PDB file of all heavy atoms in Angstrom:
ATOM      1  N   VAL Y   1     -91.884  28.881  48.096  1.00 97.00           N
ATOM      2  CA  VAL Y   1     -90.754  28.110  47.777  1.00 97.00           C
ATOM      3  C   VAL Y   1     -90.639  27.012  48.737  1.00 97.00           C
ATOM      4  O   VAL Y   1     -90.356  27.467  50.008  1.00 97.00           O
ATOM      5  CB  VAL Y   1     -89.379  28.865  47.625  1.00 97.00           C
ATOM      6  CG1 VAL Y   1     -88.231  27.887  47.335  1.00 97.00           C
ATOM      7  CG2 VAL Y   1     -89.507  29.823  46.461  1.00 97.00           C
ATOM      8  N   GLU Y   2     -90.795  25.814  48.463  1.00 97.00           N
ATOM      9  CA  GLU Y   2     -90.841  24.648  49.486  1.00 97.00           C
ATOM     10  C   GLU Y   2     -89.296  24.211  49.589  1.00 97.00           C
ATOM     11  O   GLU Y   2     -88.592  24.136  48.493  1.00 97.00           O
ATOM     12  CB  GLU Y   2     -91.741  23.579  49.091  1.00 97.00           C
ATOM     13  CG  GLU Y   2     -93.172  23.876  49.009  1.00 97.00           C
ATOM     14  CD  GLU Y   2     -93.569  24.247  47.637  1.00 97.00           C
ATOM     15  OE1 GLU Y   2     -92.825  24.599  46.829  1.00 97.00           O
ATOM     16  OE2 GLU Y   2     -94.881  24.084  47.236  1.00 97.00           O
ATOM     17  N   SER Y   3     -88.954  23.618  50.710  1.00 97.00           N
ATOM     18  CA  SER Y   3     -87.817  23.041  50.989  1.00 97.00           C
ATOM     19  C   SER Y   3     -87.877  21.963  52.143  1.00 97.00           C
ATOM     20  O   SER Y   3     -88.887  22.005  52.868  1.00 97.00           O
ATOM     21  CB  SER Y   3     -86.676  24.053  51.183  1.00 97.00           C
ATOM     22  OG  SER Y   3     -86.949  24.799  52.460  1.00 97.00           O
ATOM     23  N   GLY Y   4     -86.743  21.095  52.184  1.00 98.00           N
ATOM     24  CA  GLY Y   4     -86.789  20.210  53.454  1.00 98.00           C
ATOM     25  C   GLY Y   4     -87.103  18.798  52.989  1.00 98.00           C
ATOM     26  O   GLY Y   4     -87.028  17.853  53.839  1.00 98.00           O
ATOM     27  N   GLY Y   5     -87.511  18.528  51.727  1.00 97.00           N
ATOM     28  CA  GLY Y   5     -87.841  17.049  51.487  1.00 97.00           C
ATOM     29  C   GLY Y   5     -86.616  16.248  51.285  1.00 97.00           C
ATOM     30  O   GLY Y   5     -85.478  16.860  51.452  1.00 97.00           O
ATOM     31  N   GLY Y   6     -86.799  14.936  51.116  1.00 97.00           N
ATOM     32  CA  GLY Y   6     -85.685  14.052  51.052  1.00 97.00           C
ATOM     33  C   GLY Y   6     -86.010  12.598  51.299  1.00 97.00           C
ATOM     34  O   GLY Y   6     -87.255  12.279  51.183  1.00 97.00           O
ATOM     35  N   LEU Y   7     -84.989  11.815  51.415  1.00 98.00           N
ATOM     36  CA  LEU Y   7     -85.183  10.428  51.584  1.00 98.00           C
ATOM     37  C   LEU Y   7     -85.123  10.070  53.044  1.00 98.00           C
ATOM     38  O   LEU Y   7     -84.137  10.417  53.628  1.00 98.00           O
ATOM     39  CB  LEU Y   7     -84.297   9.600  50.790  1.00 98.00           C
ATOM     40  CG  LEU Y   7     -84.222   8.118  50.974  1.00 98.00           C
ATOM     41  CD1 LEU Y   7     -85.584   7.433  50.582  1.00 98.00           C
ATOM     42  CD2 LEU Y   7     -83.040   7.480  50.293  1.00 98.00           C
ATOM     43  N   VAL Y   8     -86.032   9.389  53.665  1.00 98.00           N
ATOM     44  CA  VAL Y   8     -86.136   9.115  55.064  1.00 98.00           C
ATOM     45  C   VAL Y   8     -86.593   7.776  55.180  1.00 98.00           C
ATOM     46  O   VAL Y   8     -87.470   7.195  54.498  1.00 98.00           O
ATOM     47  CB  VAL Y   8     -86.825  10.010  55.808  1.00 98.00           C
ATOM     48  CG1 VAL Y   8     -88.316  10.074  55.403  1.00 98.00           C
ATOM     49  CG2 VAL Y   8     -86.723   9.968  57.481  1.00 98.00           C
ATOM     50  N   GLN Y   9     -86.131   6.965  56.276  1.00 98.00           N
ATOM     51  CA  GLN Y   9     -86.651   5.617  56.573  1.00 98.00           C
ATOM     52  C   GLN Y   9     -87.970   5.681  57.267  1.00 98.00           C
ATOM     53  O   GLN Y   9     -88.213   6.659  57.952  1.00 98.00           O
ATOM     54  CB  GLN Y   9     -85.550   4.826  57.410  1.00 98.00           C
ATOM     55  CG  GLN Y   9     -84.246   4.694  56.700  1.00 98.00           C
ATOM     56  CD  GLN Y   9     -83.316   3.839  57.554  1.00 98.00           C
ATOM     57  OE1 GLN Y   9     -83.584   3.506  58.724  1.00 98.00           O
ATOM     58  NE2 GLN Y   9     -82.396   3.124  56.973  1.00 98.00           N
ATOM     59  N   PRO Y  10     -88.657   4.539  57.118  1.00 98.00           N
ATOM     60  CA  PRO Y  10     -89.990   4.534  57.843  1.00 98.00           C
ATOM     61  C   PRO Y  10     -89.766   4.817  59.344  1.00 98.00           C
ATOM     62  O   PRO Y  10     -88.727   4.215  59.843  1.00 98.00           O
ATOM     63  CB  PRO Y  10     -90.399   3.110  57.585  1.00 98.00           C
ATOM     64  CG  PRO Y  10     -89.884   2.805  56.309  1.00 98.00           C
ATOM     65  CD  PRO Y  10     -88.594   3.421  56.204  1.00 98.00           C
ATOM     66  N   GLY Y  11     -90.650   5.648  59.966  1.00 98.00           N
ATOM     67  CA  GLY Y  11     -90.433   5.891  61.311  1.00 98.00           C
ATOM     68  C   GLY Y  11     -89.615   7.220  61.571  1.00 98.00           C
ATOM     69  O   GLY Y  11     -89.660   7.632  62.688  1.00 98.00           O
ATOM     70  N   GLY Y  12     -88.991   7.644  60.476  1.00 98.00           N
ATOM     71  CA  GLY Y  12     -88.245   8.875  60.608  1.00 98.00           C
ATOM     72  C   GLY Y  12     -89.101  10.122  60.615  1.00 98.00           C
ATOM     73  O   GLY Y  12     -90.258  10.151  60.587  1.00 98.00           O
ATOM     74  N   SER Y  13     -88.267  11.254  60.660  1.00 98.00           N
ATOM     75  CA  SER Y  13     -88.936  12.541  60.585  1.00 98.00           C
ATOM     76  C   SER Y  13     -88.308  13.483  59.526  1.00 98.00           C
ATOM     77  O   SER Y  13     -87.197  13.394  59.259  1.00 98.00           O
ATOM     78  CB  SER Y  13     -88.725  13.168  62.025  1.00 98.00           C
ATOM     79  OG  SER Y  13     -89.388  12.440  62.997  1.00 98.00           O
ATOM     80  N   LEU Y  14     -89.078  14.371  59.057  1.00 98.00           N
ATOM     81  CA  LEU Y  14     -88.743  15.470  58.251  1.00 98.00           C
ATOM     82  C   LEU Y  14     -89.417  16.745  58.633  1.00 98.00           C
ATOM     83  O   LEU Y  14     -90.558  16.735  59.043  1.00 98.00           O
ATOM     84  CB  LEU Y  14     -88.921  15.198  56.729  1.00 98.00           C
ATOM     85  CG  LEU Y  14     -87.930  14.227  56.036  1.00 98.00           C
ATOM     86  CD1 LEU Y  14     -88.529  14.006  54.604  1.00 98.00           C
ATOM     87  CD2 LEU Y  14     -86.502  14.707  56.015  1.00 98.00           C
ATOM     88  N   ARG Y  15     -88.881  17.881  58.402  1.00 98.00           N
ATOM     89  CA  ARG Y  15     -89.484  19.217  58.473  1.00 98.00           C
ATOM     90  C   ARG Y  15     -89.366  19.881  57.250  1.00 98.00           C
ATOM     91  O   ARG Y  15     -88.316  20.326  56.747  1.00 98.00           O
ATOM     92  CB  ARG Y  15     -88.820  20.045  59.560  1.00 98.00           C
ATOM     93  CG  ARG Y  15     -89.546  21.293  60.081  1.00 98.00           C
ATOM     94  CD  ARG Y  15     -88.748  22.080  60.990  1.00 98.00           C
ATOM     95  NE  ARG Y  15     -89.593  23.276  61.478  1.00 98.00           N
ATOM     96  CZ  ARG Y  15     -89.084  24.387  61.674  1.00 98.00           C
ATOM     97  NH1 ARG Y  15     -87.832  24.745  61.315  1.00 98.00           N
ATOM     98  NH2 ARG Y  15     -89.931  25.409  62.128  1.00 98.00           N
ATOM     99  N   LEU Y  16     -90.617  20.207  56.668  1.00 98.00           N
ATOM    100  CA  LEU Y  16     -90.690  20.933  55.448  1.00 98.00           C
ATOM    101  C   LEU Y  16     -90.878  22.254  55.756  1.00 98.00           C
ATOM    102  O   LEU Y  16     -91.575  22.746  56.634  1.00 98.00           O
ATOM    103  CB  LEU Y  16     -91.833  20.492  54.602  1.00 98.00           C
ATOM    104  CG  LEU Y  16     -91.813  18.998  54.349  1.00 98.00           C
ATOM    105  CD1 LEU Y  16     -93.100  18.699  53.319  1.00 98.00           C
ATOM    106  CD2 LEU Y  16     -90.671  18.464  53.690  1.00 98.00           C
ATOM    107  N   SER Y  17     -90.475  23.319  54.893  1.00 98.00           N
ATOM    108  CA  SER Y  17     -90.541  24.667  55.078  1.00 98.00           C
ATOM    109  C   SER Y  17     -91.156  25.188  53.651  1.00 98.00           C
ATOM    110  O   SER Y  17     -90.800  24.803  52.657  1.00 98.00           O
ATOM    111  CB  SER Y  17     -89.274  25.403  55.372  1.00 98.00           C
ATOM    112  OG  SER Y  17     -88.699  24.909  56.594  1.00 98.00           O
ATOM    113  N   CYS Y  18     -91.895  26.407  53.848  1.00 98.00           N
ATOM    114  CA  CYS Y  18     -92.301  27.043  52.682  1.00 98.00           C
ATOM    115  C   CYS Y  18     -92.289  28.553  52.934  1.00 98.00           C
ATOM    116  O   CYS Y  18     -92.833  29.040  53.927  1.00 98.00           O
ATOM    117  CB  CYS Y  18     -93.883  26.764  52.376  1.00 98.00           C
ATOM    118  SG  CYS Y  18     -94.658  27.701  51.072  1.00 98.00           S
ATOM    119  N   ALA Y  19     -91.378  29.125  52.120  1.00 97.00           N
ATOM    120  CA  ALA Y  19     -91.195  30.574  52.234  1.00 97.00           C
ATOM    121  C   ALA Y  19     -92.057  31.266  51.262  1.00 97.00           C
ATOM    122  O   ALA Y  19     -91.978  31.018  50.029  1.00 97.00           O
ATOM    123  CB  ALA Y  19     -89.797  30.939  52.011  1.00 97.00           C
ATOM    124  N   ALA Y  20     -92.839  32.259  51.763  1.00 95.00           N
ATOM    125  CA  ALA Y  20     -93.684  33.156  50.923  1.00 95.00           C
ATOM    126  C   ALA Y  20     -93.008  34.575  50.546  1.00 95.00           C
ATOM    127  O   ALA Y  20     -92.435  35.114  51.552  1.00 95.00           O
ATOM    128  CB  ALA Y  20     -95.041  33.214  51.527  1.00 95.00           C
ATOM    129  N   SER Y  21     -93.441  34.957  49.477  1.00 90.00           N
ATOM    130  CA  SER Y  21     -93.056  36.402  49.135  1.00 90.00           C
ATOM    131  C   SER Y  21     -94.054  36.990  48.208  1.00 90.00           C
ATOM    132  O   SER Y  21     -94.713  36.324  47.552  1.00 90.00           O
ATOM    133  CB  SER Y  21     -91.662  36.550  48.538  1.00 90.00           C
ATOM    134  OG  SER Y  21     -91.529  35.754  47.328  1.00 90.00           O
ATOM    135  N   GLY Y  22     -94.270  38.326  48.263  1.00 87.00           N
ATOM    136  CA  GLY Y  22     -95.151  38.978  47.475  1.00 87.00           C
ATOM    137  C   GLY Y  22     -96.573  39.113  47.958  1.00 87.00           C
ATOM    138  O   GLY Y  22     -97.365  39.449  47.274  1.00 87.00           O
ATOM    139  N   ILE Y  23     -96.810  38.629  49.120  1.00 87.00           N
ATOM    140  CA  ILE Y  23     -98.035  38.662  49.808  1.00 87.00           C
ATOM    141  C   ILE Y  23     -97.881  39.259  51.237  1.00 87.00           C
ATOM    142  O   ILE Y  23     -96.835  39.230  51.750  1.00 87.00           O
ATOM    143  CB  ILE Y  23     -98.742  37.363  49.847  1.00 87.00           C
ATOM    144  CG1 ILE Y  23     -97.956  36.324  50.644  1.00 87.00           C
ATOM    145  CG2 ILE Y  23     -99.054  36.883  48.439  1.00 87.00           C
ATOM    146  CD1 ILE Y  23     -98.737  35.029  50.869  1.00 87.00           C
ATOM    147  N   ILE Y  24     -99.062  39.699  51.681  1.00 88.00           N
ATOM    148  CA  ILE Y  24     -99.035  40.006  53.146  1.00 88.00           C
ATOM    149  C   ILE Y  24     -99.392  38.681  53.821  1.00 88.00           C
ATOM    150  O   ILE Y  24    -100.557  38.390  54.186  1.00 88.00           O
ATOM    151  CB  ILE Y  24    -100.097  41.065  53.404  1.00 88.00           C
ATOM    152  CG1 ILE Y  24     -99.821  42.326  52.709  1.00 88.00           C
ATOM    153  CG2 ILE Y  24    -100.109  41.385  55.031  1.00 88.00           C
ATOM    154  CD1 ILE Y  24    -100.855  43.414  52.670  1.00 88.00           C
ATOM    155  N   PHE Y  25     -98.410  37.957  54.220  1.00 90.00           N
ATOM    156  CA  PHE Y  25     -98.410  36.515  54.598  1.00 90.00           C
ATOM    157  C   PHE Y  25     -99.479  36.282  55.737  1.00 90.00           C
ATOM    158  O   PHE Y  25    -100.294  35.404  55.614  1.00 90.00           O
ATOM    159  CB  PHE Y  25     -96.981  35.964  54.920  1.00 90.00           C
ATOM    160  CG  PHE Y  25     -97.037  34.605  55.352  1.00 90.00           C
ATOM    161  CD1 PHE Y  25     -97.083  33.572  54.521  1.00 90.00           C
ATOM    162  CD2 PHE Y  25     -97.025  34.302  56.742  1.00 90.00           C
ATOM    163  CE1 PHE Y  25     -97.042  32.314  54.836  1.00 90.00           C
ATOM    164  CE2 PHE Y  25     -96.894  32.954  57.061  1.00 90.00           C
ATOM    165  CZ  PHE Y  25     -96.892  32.026  56.195  1.00 90.00           C
ATOM    166  N   GLY Y  26     -99.406  37.278  56.703  1.00 86.00           N
ATOM    167  CA  GLY Y  26    -100.265  37.058  57.868  1.00 86.00           C
ATOM    168  C   GLY Y  26    -101.717  37.032  57.667  1.00 86.00           C
ATOM    169  O   GLY Y  26    -102.494  36.638  58.593  1.00 86.00           O
ATOM    170  N   LEU Y  27    -102.215  37.449  56.535  1.00 90.00           N
ATOM    171  CA  LEU Y  27    -103.620  37.539  56.242  1.00 90.00           C
ATOM    172  C   LEU Y  27    -104.202  36.173  55.838  1.00 90.00           C
ATOM    173  O   LEU Y  27    -105.437  36.085  55.867  1.00 90.00           O
ATOM    174  CB  LEU Y  27    -103.880  38.628  55.167  1.00 90.00           C
ATOM    175  CG  LEU Y  27    -103.527  40.005  55.512  1.00 90.00           C
ATOM    176  CD1 LEU Y  27    -103.846  40.959  54.257  1.00 90.00           C
ATOM    177  CD2 LEU Y  27    -104.318  40.508  56.727  1.00 90.00           C
ATOM    178  N   TYR Y  28    -103.380  35.194  55.273  1.00 94.00           N
ATOM    179  CA  TYR Y  28    -103.840  34.170  54.625  1.00 94.00           C
ATOM    180  C   TYR Y  28    -103.734  32.814  55.364  1.00 94.00           C
ATOM    181  O   TYR Y  28    -102.844  32.635  56.037  1.00 94.00           O
ATOM    182  CB  TYR Y  28    -103.086  33.939  53.252  1.00 94.00           C
ATOM    183  CG  TYR Y  28    -103.342  35.183  52.450  1.00 94.00           C
ATOM    184  CD1 TYR Y  28    -102.409  36.196  52.302  1.00 94.00           C
ATOM    185  CD2 TYR Y  28    -104.483  35.235  51.661  1.00 94.00           C
ATOM    186  CE1 TYR Y  28    -102.510  37.242  51.493  1.00 94.00           C
ATOM    187  CE2 TYR Y  28    -104.809  36.409  50.849  1.00 94.00           C
ATOM    188  CZ  TYR Y  28    -103.825  37.481  50.784  1.00 94.00           C
ATOM    189  OH  TYR Y  28    -104.031  38.593  50.117  1.00 94.00           O
ATOM    190  N   THR Y  29    -104.808  32.022  55.105  1.00 96.00           N
ATOM    191  CA  THR Y  29    -104.753  30.590  55.586  1.00 96.00           C
ATOM    192  C   THR Y  29    -103.732  29.877  54.585  1.00 96.00           C
ATOM    193  O   THR Y  29    -103.726  30.084  53.351  1.00 96.00           O
ATOM    194  CB  THR Y  29    -106.165  29.896  55.370  1.00 96.00           C
ATOM    195  OG1 THR Y  29    -106.900  30.374  56.321  1.00 96.00           O
ATOM    196  CG2 THR Y  29    -106.103  28.476  55.591  1.00 96.00           C
ATOM    197  N   MET Y  30    -102.888  29.119  55.112  1.00 96.00           N
ATOM    198  CA  MET Y  30    -101.849  28.383  54.487  1.00 96.00           C
ATOM    199  C   MET Y  30    -102.206  26.870  54.499  1.00 96.00           C
ATOM    200  O   MET Y  30    -102.565  26.423  55.508  1.00 96.00           O
ATOM    201  CB  MET Y  30    -100.447  28.676  54.929  1.00 96.00           C
ATOM    202  CG  MET Y  30    -100.033  30.117  54.893  1.00 96.00           C
ATOM    203  SD  MET Y  30    -100.138  30.794  53.102  1.00 96.00           S
ATOM    204  CE  MET Y  30     -98.759  29.714  52.299  1.00 96.00           C
TER     205      MET Y  30
END
């Protein structure tokens, strides 16, 4: 599940997040 997108002006910043479930997350390249 991704989140954090939106509208931003050129030169601005955003931080996207992705929450994982149902896997042993630490084993995988993301």
Side-chain angles (χ1 to χ4, degrees):
V1 179
E2 300 96 336
S3 60
L7 173 64
V8 63
Q9 292 187 342
S13 298
L14 282 175
R15 187 185 191 226
L16 306 184
S17 299
C18 172
S21 60
I23 61 170
I24 304 174
F25 179 79
L27 294 180
Y28 298 100
T29 292
M30 300 298 297

